[in-house]
């Protein structure tokens, strides 16, 4: 008889415990197509996360945007799963999340042997284990299960992943669970990348400026995290993390992963040289990317899916160093991808930052729901993996910002401005976004208040004709007001969902 609180090898027919990276690749050889770079490529049946099939067990209070499953129902399914796998051969992989003791977790994955490719990819995302006998977090992954359903036991640290063979489910199962554990320990887990920009500021002083970048998959988070910002000499960009960081009350950010899970559509050496180099290493593991019979990789062919992915090793990113942690998140960037009245960048106060966090504005991408790719989307914290009331996290972030006035927050639009029926808008290129971040680090942007929205907008940015990207230049006053009023109403309706106690009132005074 299994127990959620005592999952061990004895519950399975046979366990292949902790094979090496090479052994895992060998176990998955029958599913591999070897690329021209000598790397492994795989194709899955399911090619994006199954958010609509994901549930939180009701041993905690769930949030507004989360689906709940009763513990009785979850236990019933779990019992059937263990009855099925009691004589099956499983692979067990133990890894460590994080490099230090703070907010660090021993992670254990059990997965059907047939799906060794998932174990191979997951193994490459975390660090070597320091304690393989005492897992903090456990995921049971049975892709061949006849029903597609994922459910997490927050208090027990156990997740079941059933009926999907998409690698992202395994990766996010541990990150989702760890973010909850960090919240219980007084911190916050963010779906965000992190980096340092070492720059000379406007006073010609060389300094390290820590950044974290929030953003839904497909909105440019990884590109901006990895980018070198064309810094040379003593100035440089140093990459810390790509996907999830844990923040304490002082703004210190703990990194989680040793491998980056990147979107590969349109990947090219001209615009994304650092990513391209790592993605074309023999140590990369590619997923749902077009690979021809001769092994040639085509990052532009989306016939399999527009959600092609790759796991690359952090050590093969030229701009990384020996830590995944960040001494302080001096600058917090909320990445959005809109096309109308949101400027290229705005500067926020703590109240506006709370609203921005709760709004989580962007567009849907193929990584979420491919059928709605390109449509407007909102997701609290741009983090679809929150467990528990979402407002708690927004309030905690505001508290951290109020107690750390040296931390500044910004919205960065990576889409375009001024779009109309007959015009796609003035594109905000990678060059524009990376230059803005560089000048933020240098404290070299002139700001003025936008009287209508209340936030600060740039009047001068070195290296950019910022007036070219002023949304108001592309609309008549009537056109602008129509779009702006619609956006304000949408925001107010969205924020109203999260109202709680009086100190959590946010919708009545939307500040952006």
């Amino acid at each position: 008889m299994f127990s959620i609180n005592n999952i061990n090898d004895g519950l399975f027919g046979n366990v292949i415990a902790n094979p090496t990276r090479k052994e895992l690749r060998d176990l998955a050889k029958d599913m591999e197509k070897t690329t021209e770079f000598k790397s492994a490529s795989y194709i899955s049946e399911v090619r994006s996360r199954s958010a609509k099939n994901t549930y939180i067990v009701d041993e905690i209070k769930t949030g507004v945007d989360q689906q709940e499953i009763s513990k009785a129902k979850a236990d019933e399914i779990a019992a059937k799963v263990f009855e099925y796998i009691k004589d099956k051969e499983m692979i067990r992989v133990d890894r460590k999340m994080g490099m230090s003791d703070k907010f660090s977790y021993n992670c254990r994955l059990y997965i059907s042997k047939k799906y060794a490719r998932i174990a191979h990819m997951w193994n490459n995302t975390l660090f070597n284990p320091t304690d393989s006998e005492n897992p903090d977090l456990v995921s049971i992954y049975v892709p061949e299960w006849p029903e597609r359903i994922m459910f997490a036991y927050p208090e027990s640290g156990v997740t079941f992943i059933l009926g999907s063979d998409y690698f992202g489910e395994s990766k996010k199962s541990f990150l989702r669970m760890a973010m909850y554990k960090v919240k219980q320990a007084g911190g916050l887990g963010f779906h965000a990348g992190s980096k340092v920009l070492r720059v000379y500021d406007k006073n010609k002083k060389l300094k390290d400026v820590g950044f974290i970048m929030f953003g839904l998959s497909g909105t440019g988070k990884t590109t901006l995290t990895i980018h070198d910002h064309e810094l040379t000499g003593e100035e440089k960009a140093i990459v810390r993390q790509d996907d999830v960081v844990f923040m304490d009350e002082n703004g210190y950010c703990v990194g989680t992963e040793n491998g980056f899970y990147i979107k590969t559509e349109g990947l090219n050496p001209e615009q994304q040289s650092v990513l391209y180099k790592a993605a074309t290493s023999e140590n990369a593991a590619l997923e749902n990317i077009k690979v021809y019979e001769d092994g040639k990789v085509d990052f532009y062919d989306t016939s399999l899916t527009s959600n092609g992915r790759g796991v690359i090793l952090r050590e093969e990113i030229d701009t990384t160093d020996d830590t995944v942690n960040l001494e302080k998140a001096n600058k917090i960037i909320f990445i959005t991808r809109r096309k109308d009245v949101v400027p290229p960048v705005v500067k926020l106060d703590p109240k506006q930052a709370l609203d921005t966090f709760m709004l989580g504005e962007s567009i849907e991408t193929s990584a979420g729901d491919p059928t709605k790719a390109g449509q407007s989307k909102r997701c609290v914290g741009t983090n679809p993996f929150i467990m528990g009331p979402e407002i708690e996290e927004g309030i905690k972030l505001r508290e951290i910002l109020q107690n750390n006035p040296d931390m500044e927050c910004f919205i960065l639009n990576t889409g375009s401005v001024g779009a109309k029926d007959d015009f796609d808008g003035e594109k905000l290129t990678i060059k524009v976004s990376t230059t803005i971040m560089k000048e933020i680090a240098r404290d070299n942007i002139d700001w003025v208040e936008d009287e209508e929205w209340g936030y600060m907008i740039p009047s001068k940015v070195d290296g950019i004709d910022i007036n070219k990207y002023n949304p108001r230049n592309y609309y008549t006053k009537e056109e602008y007001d129509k779009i702006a009023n619609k956006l304000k109403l949408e925001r107010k309706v969205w924020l109203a969902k999260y109202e709680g106690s009086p100190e959590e009132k946010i919708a009545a005074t939307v500040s952006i």
Side-chain angles (χ1 to χ4, degrees):
M1 179 66 180
F2 86 94
S3 166
I4 288 297
N5 297 311
N6 184 27
I7 295 175
N8 57 73
D9 293 4
L11 297 170
F12 308 93
N14 183 50
V15 173
I16 304 171
N18 291 314
T20 64
R21 182 192 298 173
K22 182 182 183 304
E23 289 169 340
L24 283 168
R25 184 172 175 181
D26 288 344
L27 284 167
K29 211 68 178 176
D30 61 328
M31 290 190 170
E32 175 182 322
K33 180 178 281 189
T34 306
T35 74
E36 60 186 302
F37 313 115
K38 299 181 181 179
S39 59
S41 69
Y42 307 113
I43 295 176
S44 61
E45 290 186 19
V46 179
R47 295 175 188 171
S48 62
R49 284 185 298 101
S50 301
K52 294 178 181 178
N53 304 85
T54 302
Y55 299 86
I56 310 301
V57 178
D58 66 356
E59 54 189 13
I60 66 167
K61 180 182 179 181
T62 53
V64 173
D65 298 319
Q66 298 151 35
Q67 297 185 109
E68 185 178 275
I69 186 173
S70 70
K71 187 174 186 304
K73 179 64 175 176
D75 288 350
E76 178 186 337
I77 298 171
K80 292 177 181 177
V81 171
F82 279 103
E83 179 64 25
Y84 169 75
I85 58 180
K86 69 180 183 182
D87 58 357
K88 295 293 187 294
E89 194 163 22
M90 305 288 284
I91 296 171
R92 186 189 103 199
V93 180
D94 291 283
R95 305 297 283 165
K96 181 183 178 183
M97 185 181 295
M99 293 181 74
S100 58
D101 292 333
K102 185 167 189 174
F103 299 149
S104 181
Y105 302 93
N106 299 313
C107 302
R108 174 175 292 179
L109 173 70
Y110 288 104
I111 189 166
S112 307
K113 179 186 176 183
K114 177 182 176 182
Y115 294 90
R117 62 176 170 81
I118 296 173
H120 171 225
M121 295 176 73
W122 183 73
N123 177 80
N124 291 354
T125 65
L126 298 183
F127 295 91
N128 291 330
T130 53
D131 185 352
S132 298
E133 302 305 317
N134 298 289
D136 301 300
L137 311 174
V138 177
S139 289
I140 314 296
Y141 201 161
V142 185
E144 70 270 26
W145 193 253
E147 177 189 8
R148 188 184 303 179
I149 185 170
M150 298 81 188
F151 52 96
Y153 291 84
E155 296 300 325
S156 307
V158 176
T159 305
F160 284 78
I161 309 166
L162 309 173
S164 170
D165 66 340
Y166 180 62
F167 161 72
E169 298 289 1
S170 61
K171 170 181 158 67
K172 293 302 185 184
S173 70
F174 291 99
L175 293 170
R176 178 193 294 116
M177 195 66 72
M179 284 191 278
Y180 176 74
K181 297 296 184 184
V182 169
K183 182 166 57 174
Q184 298 306 102
L188 280 176
F190 295 137
H191 182 221
S194 60
K195 71 191 305 179
V196 171
L197 292 187
R198 182 171 295 162
V199 297
Y200 281 101
D201 65 16
K202 63 183 179 182
N203 298 317
K204 307 303 180 185
K205 180 180 179 182
L206 188 66
K207 62 180 183 181
D208 284 358
V209 183
F211 281 77
I212 64 170
M213 290 77 67
F214 289 84
L216 288 170
S217 297
T219 55
K221 177 170 63 69
T222 295
T223 297
L224 292 176
T225 299
I226 304 297
H227 206 280
D228 62 10
H229 299 262
E230 300 180 354
L231 293 169
T232 59
E234 290 186 287
E235 293 189 311
K236 64 194 302 188
I238 308 166
V239 177
R240 293 287 161 82
Q241 281 291 270
D242 169 53
D243 200 24
V244 168
V245 297
F246 304 142
M247 181 186 286
D248 72 8
E249 66 277 7
N250 299 313
Y252 177 78
C253 293
V254 175
T256 55
E257 296 184 288
N258 195 35
F260 296 165
Y261 188 43
I262 65 170
K263 277 182 67 70
T264 57
E265 181 184 352
L267 191 63
N268 67 80
E270 286 74 34
Q271 285 193 308
Q272 298 155 298
S273 58
V274 177
L275 278 182
Y276 185 85
K277 181 180 178 183
T280 53
S281 161
E282 66 178 310
N283 294 316
L286 306 183
E287 177 187 52
N288 299 323
I289 297 167
K290 183 66 175 180
V291 180
Y292 297 98
E293 289 304 314
D294 62 358
K296 183 173 178 57
V297 178
D298 188 345
F299 290 122
Y300 285 90
D301 188 323
T302 58
S303 56
L304 290 172
T305 176
S306 56
N307 190 34
R309 292 278 186 161
V311 173
I312 59 176
L313 300 183
R314 182 180 179 275
E315 65 199 48
E316 295 189 343
I317 300 292
D318 291 339
T319 51
T320 56
D321 60 8
D322 60 357
T323 180
V324 295
N325 301 328
L326 194 69
E327 285 303 315
K328 189 148 196 176
N330 305 110
K331 314 293 181 183
I332 296 177
I333 306 291
F334 297 100
I335 303 170
T336 189
R337 183 163 285 186
R338 293 189 63 88
K339 60 182 183 179
D340 41 42
V341 298
V342 176
V345 63
V346 303
K347 188 175 181 181
L348 309 169
D349 64 29
K351 172 64 174 71
Q352 293 164 342
L354 167 61
D355 286 347
T356 302
F357 179 87
M358 296 303 297
L359 284 166
E361 284 184 338
S362 195
I363 58 168
E364 183 63 85
T365 73
S366 52
D369 185 347
T371 65
K372 297 181 180 178
Q375 298 180 20
S376 294
K377 178 177 181 176
R378 292 182 174 88
C379 176
V380 175
T382 64
N383 182 6
F385 314 106
I386 292 173
M387 292 198 289
E390 296 89 351
I391 185 61
E392 292 177 353
E393 309 209 0
I395 296 296
K396 178 67 175 179
L397 174 60
R398 185 179 64 183
E399 178 184 308
I400 292 172
L401 294 173
Q402 289 172 334
N403 292 335
N404 293 271
D406 55 333
M407 296 170 65
E408 295 182 321
C409 297
F410 306 83
I411 299 173
L412 188 71
N413 183 8
T414 59
S416 59
V417 296
K420 300 182 182 183
D421 291 340
D422 57 347
F423 177 50
D424 290 337
E426 188 66 42
K427 173 64 179 167
L428 294 165
T429 64
I430 294 173
K431 170 77 170 175
V432 170
S433 297
T434 56
T435 299
I436 286 171
M437 286 182 62
K438 178 170 59 180
E439 296 307 312
I440 285 174
R442 289 173 170 162
D443 192 22
N444 196 34
I445 296 178
D446 293 338
W447 301 94
V448 295
E449 183 177 351
D450 185 297
E451 294 182 1
E452 179 172 1
W453 296 95
Y455 47 49
M456 306 296 285
I457 58 174
S459 60
K460 179 177 175 295
V461 181
D462 282 357
I464 299 173
D465 177 9
I466 200 65
N467 191 54
K468 176 182 176 182
Y469 304 102
N470 184 340
R472 286 184 169 85
N473 293 341
Y474 296 88
Y475 302 106
T476 65
K477 186 178 186 307
E478 292 73 20
E479 289 173 332
Y480 185 93
D481 288 347
K482 181 178 179 181
I483 296 170
N485 290 335
K486 180 175 181 291
L487 180 58
K488 291 174 183 177
L489 179 59
E490 287 177 356
R491 287 173 171 175
K492 187 170 184 177
V493 170
W494 174 266
L495 292 176
K497 298 194 303 178
Y498 305 100
E499 288 188 346
S501 57
E503 66 270 16
E504 295 171 355
K505 289 278 186 183
I506 53 180
T509 56
V510 179
S511 59
I512 58 171

